Amino acid sequence: MNRFKQGVKHLRPQRVLAATAAVAVAGAGMSLVSMGTAAAAPGCSVAYTANSWGSGFTASIDITNSGDPITSWALEFDYAGNQAAGSAWGGTLTQTGKHVKIVNAAWNGSLASGAKTNVGFNGTYSGTNTKPTDFTLNGVACNGGTTNPTPTTTVSATVEPTVEPTVEPTVEPTQQPGEHLDNPFVGAKWYVNPDWSAKAAAEPGGSAVANQPTAVWLDTIAAINAPAGSGYTTSLRKHLDNALAQNATLAQFVIYNLPGRDCAALASNGELGPTEIDRYKSDYIDPIAAIQADPKYKSIRIVNIVEIDSLPNLVTNAGSSAGSTQACRDMLANGNYGTGIAYALSKLRAAGSNTYNYIDAAHHGWLGWDSNFAPAAKLFADTAKKATGGVNTVDGFITNTANYSALSEPFVKINTSVNGTSVRQSKWLDWNQYTDELTFAQAFRNQLVSAGFNSNIGMLIDTSRNGWGGSARPTAASTSTDLNTFVDASRIDRRIHAGNWCNQSGAGLGERPKAAPASGIDAYTWVKPPGESDGSSSLVPTGPNNPGGKGFDRMCDPTYTGNDRNGNSLSGALPNAPVSGAWFSAQFRQLLANAWPAL
Ligand code: BGC
C-alpha cells in the first residue's frame, strides 16, 4: 500500500463539475405553480477562520451559496491591517492593497443552492491579525440570505391538490429482521480471526494479544472461496461460520481488489488490470454480497471497510505533482475507482440491514493539508452519491488503515509554538493542519458531513500499529528552543518522515480495539493484522515465498533514500521483510515490545 502525503502546495483532484442547471421542479399536488423564468437570486454566507502565530497565519474560508445555483464565483473582502495573503488553494487569489479577491478553481466553480466550498491560504502580518467581516460573492454581500429573484415572465395557475388515496395497507410493510444501527461496534462481540490468532499466539509473549479481533482482508477473488492451492485457508463463509461459533455479533472485512489497485505503490498492486471493472463487479463484489446476504448470518453485524488508499490516491497522486504516477492518472481518467466503489457500496449495503460500509479516508499525514482535505471529502461524496442509495450507503470512514500515525500527540498540539513559531512550520509537520490521527479524524468527519454525508456517520481509526511505546517514547515536551529539535524530541511518532508507510522501525501495537472511544469515533479497531508485512524489503521472485507475484516497492527497503512523497528521506523500514500480507515475526515482536498502552 501507499501511505503517503502531498504537501501544502498541491491541489487535487481536477474534477470539473458539470454546470448545474437552475431549474426547480414543482411536484404535483401543489396549489400554486409558478412557471416562467426568473433571474438568479444570489446569496451567500462566509465563515472565515485564521490560525495565527504572531507573524504568519493560515486562513480557511468556508463559502456557502445560499442563493440559486452558480457556475463560477469571485469572493472579495478587505483587510483592516497589513495582512499580505499568499497564493490560495481552492481558488486564485489576487491582492491590491487591502483588497483581496479569490476566484474559483476549475473544480469548485459550480455551487448548487446550499453547497459549500472551502478556500485557504497562508499569509503574513504584524500587529493584530483582525478578521475581515464584510464579504461579497459575485458582488453580493454575504449575509446568509438571498436577494429577491426578479421575475421576467411569470404565469401563476391554481391547481387542485391531488387527493391522496387513503388505502389501508393490507399487508404489514416488510420488516428487515435486524435494525441498522448507528454504531454497530457498541455492545458487539467482535470476531477473532483464528488464523491470525494462532500466528500471534505462537510468538513469544503473543498470547497477551492473540484473542484480539482483527479484520479479514478479502484481497483477491480467491480469498472469497479459498479454493485448495490458492494459499488461503479460510473462505468468507467459513469466517462467518466461525463467527457464529464464537457467538460473535460483529465481523470486519476489508474490501480490497479494485481494478488497478494501489496505483502509487508496488507492494500491493492488485490482480485486476486498470480496466477490469466488470470482473470486479461480477467475480468479486457480487459473490461477497451474496454470501453476506445469507440469512444465516443475520445476527452478525458485517462491517465492510471499503478500498484502502484508492480515492486518496486520486486526490494527491493523479495530477502533475512530483509524487504522481501514470497508473494513478490512468485510474483518474478511466473512473474505475469511483465506479467500483459506488458499486461496492450499493451491493454490500443492499445485502442486508446488518451490513455496514466504512470508506477509507487515508490519514492525517496524507489528507491533513487544506489543499487535500476539502477536495477529498468532496470526491468521497461525489463517489457515494453515485451508489444506489447514495450517501445512505455509508456508515462512516476509517483513517490510518495499515498506517503508523500516532493516535494522539501529547506534547505537539497544532497550536503549540516554539519561540513564537508554530510547530506547523517544522520540517516534520510541513504546514499540516493536524499533528495526530484523532484530531484529524474528528475534523474530517465534520468536513464529510459538510460535503453531504449523513450527520450520524462515525469514524474508525486503525490502531493496530500506532502505539509508539517502549523506552524511546518521550515522557515530556522537549525544552529545546529550536523548532525542529523541539518537535522531533517531543513527538511520540518516531518515524523518519510521516510519509513512510512500510514496516516501520520502532512502532508498537496501539490502542486495543474499543467501541465509541471518543466523540465522533465509532471504534478503534485493528484492521491491519499486526505481524503481517506491508511489503518485502527486496524483490522476492514469484514462487513459494511469493505465490501471488507481489511487487517490490523500495519504500520497504531500509537502504532506500526516498522520493518526493517522503521528503527524500530514508524509508525507516525493517530489514528482511516478506511480501505484503505474509507473517513477519520480527515485526510482530517489535510491535509487542513497543506496545502503547503497554501490555
Ligand atoms: C496486502 C494484502 C494483505 C493485507 C493485510 C496488504 O498490504 O496487500 O495482501 O492481506 O495487507 O496484511
Side-chain angles (χ1 to χ4, degrees):
M1 258 166 293
N2 165 44
R3 309 262 142 241
F4 140 52
K5 65 103 184 174
Q6 284 298 322
V8 69
K9 307 120 230 150
H10 307 289
L11 179 61
R12 299 287 174 276
Q14 299 301 340
R15 292 241 154 145
V16 182
L17 300 178
T20 316
V23 175
V25 181
M30 292 178 67
S31 60
L32 187 68
V33 178
S34 235
M35 290 175 281
T37 54
C44 47
S45 61
V46 165
Y48 175 104
T49 53
N51 211 332
S52 312
W53 53 89
S55 56
F57 66 102
T58 298
S60 173
I61 309 176
D62 284 340
I63 306 165
T64 305
N65 173 23
S66 56
D68 283 342
I70 52 177
T71 54
S72 64
W73 50 261
L75 176 79
E76 296 180 67
F77 58 89
D78 292 296
Y79 278 120
N82 62 358
Q83 292 94 335
S87 59
W89 47 92
T92 306
L93 185 150
T94 47
Q95 180 169 8
T96 315
K98 295 178 186 301
H99 188 74
V100 175
K101 180 174 180 180
I102 306 175
V103 173
N104 66 273
W107 55 271
N108 64 356
S110 288
L111 291 178
S113 300
K116 183 155 99 177
T117 192
N118 175 274
V119 294
F121 52 88
N122 292 321
T124 56
Y125 71 102
S126 60
T128 309
N129 190 12
T130 309
K131 284 186 194 176
T133 46
D134 298 328
F135 298 86
T136 62
L137 195 72
N138 293 350
V140 174
C142 291
N143 51 18
T146 51
T147 58
N148 287 327
T150 322
T152 45
T153 48
T154 301
V155 183
S156 294
T158 305
V159 179
E160 284 305 312
T162 322
V163 180
E164 289 295 327
T166 49
V167 181
E168 288 300 318
T170 48
V171 193
E172 286 295 323
T174 322
Q175 293 268 323
Q176 291 279 15
E179 192 191 345
H180 190 78
L181 302 161
D182 179 26
N183 180 355
F185 290 86
V186 169
K189 183 174 189 308
W190 307 15
Y191 171 57
V192 176
N193 177 358
D195 301 341
W196 175 82
S197 196
K199 288 180 203 150
E203 296 287 350
S207 53
V209 293
N211 60 354
Q212 291 293 345
T214 52
V216 172
W217 289 59
L218 301 174
D219 61 345
T220 60
I221 291 167
I224 304 169
N225 292 321
S230 66
Y232 296 91
T233 48
T234 310
S235 66
L236 171 55
R237 269 193 184 280
K238 180 76 175 110
H239 279 297
L240 290 167
D241 290 339
N242 289 342
L244 290 177
Q246 288 178 13
N247 286 322
T249 55
L250 180 140
Q252 306 170 83
F253 297 95
V254 181
I255 304 300
Y256 189 50
N257 201 28
L258 274 176
R261 186 178 79 189
D262 207 18
C263 63
L266 302 172
S268 285
N269 288 168
E271 63 180 337
L272 299 179
T275 60
E276 290 192 274
I277 186 67
D278 292 342
R279 257 191 98 204
Y280 178 75
K281 293 178 180 177
S282 63
D283 295 4
Y284 181 68
I285 295 297
D286 288 353
I288 294 173
I291 294 165
Q292 294 188 349
D294 190 332
K296 187 179 169 191
Y297 304 127
K298 272 283 172 231
S299 60
I300 304 172
R301 303 168 194 173
I302 299 175
V303 168
N304 289 310
I305 288 155
V306 178
E307 295 295 357
I308 314 307
D309 293 348
S310 52
L311 296 177
N313 268 327
L314 297 188
V315 178
T316 60
N317 297 329
S320 55
S321 65
S324 290
T325 66
Q326 190 53 45
C328 290
R329 282 191 282 268
D330 291 347
M331 294 320 296
L332 179 64
N334 71 24
N336 282 339
Y337 279 1
T339 306
I341 288 172
Y343 189 80
L345 293 172
S346 314
K347 281 277 169 171
L348 298 173
R349 185 61 194 81
S353 57
N354 59 322
T355 61
Y356 296 83
N357 287 326
Y358 289 84
I359 301 177
D360 184 64
H363 56 88
H364 87 278
W366 189 341
L367 300 181
W369 286 265
D370 281 344
S371 49
N372 302 336
F373 194 76
K378 182 175 183 322
L379 176 63
F380 296 173
D382 289 348
T383 305
K385 283 173 191 162
K386 291 188 192 123
T388 309
V391 295
N392 294 333
T393 61
V394 180
D395 296 279
F397 290 79
I398 179 161
T399 80
N400 202 45
T401 308
N403 197 49
Y404 297 86
S405 296
L407 182 63
S408 289
E409 282 288 355
F411 312 121
V412 186
K413 301 287 182 199
I414 202 63
N415 292 326
T416 307
S417 57
V418 178
N419 263 348
T421 307
S422 164
V423 292
R424 294 188 58 233
Q425 295 192 46
S426 65
K427 201 168 171 243
W428 171 251
L429 289 172
D430 186 23
W431 295 100
N432 201 315
Q433 295 283 13
Y434 303 92
T435 64
D436 57 31
E437 222 40 36
L438 182 55
T439 55
F440 167 74
Q442 290 174 325
F444 198 52
R445 201 192 81 82
N446 292 338
Q447 185 69 37
L448 289 159
V449 172
S450 303
F453 287 97
N454 293 330
S455 58
N456 67 342
I457 56 167
M459 306 300 285
L460 307 178
I461 301 178
D462 184 356
T463 55
S464 60
R465 308 183 303 179
N466 67 349
W468 298 107
S471 56
R473 182 184 170 96
T475 52
S478 163
T479 53
S480 174
T481 53
D482 175 78
L483 180 67
N484 285 319
T485 309
F486 172 89
V487 171
D488 290 340
S490 303
R491 60 184 164 95
I492 59 149
D493 180 341
R494 295 193 302 279
R495 282 178 294 177
I496 295 166
H497 189 278
N500 286 350
W501 53 267
C502 196
N503 300 326
Q504 288 300 285
S505 175
L509 299 169
E511 286 279 346
R512 310 303 105 83
K514 196 189 280 179
S519 168
I521 311 296
D522 277 0
Y524 297 150
T525 172
W526 286 9
V527 171
K528 176 76 182 182
E532 291 187 9
S533 175
D534 296 314
S536 60
S537 42
S538 58
L539 180 66
V540 179
T542 304
N545 291 329
N546 187 6
K550 293 226 161 121
F552 165 48
D553 193 297
R554 291 219 55 208
M555 287 296 287
C556 302
D557 170 358
T559 68
Y560 183 49
T561 50
N563 54 41
D564 287 299
R565 291 180 301 197
N566 79 335
N568 294 290
S569 315
L570 277 165
S571 71
L574 293 169
N576 306 317
V579 294
S580 67
W583 190 253
F584 186 10
S585 172
Q587 186 192 33
F588 186 77
R589 294 174 192 208
Q590 175 201 276
L591 292 168
L592 281 178
N594 290 340
W596 186 273
L599 294 170

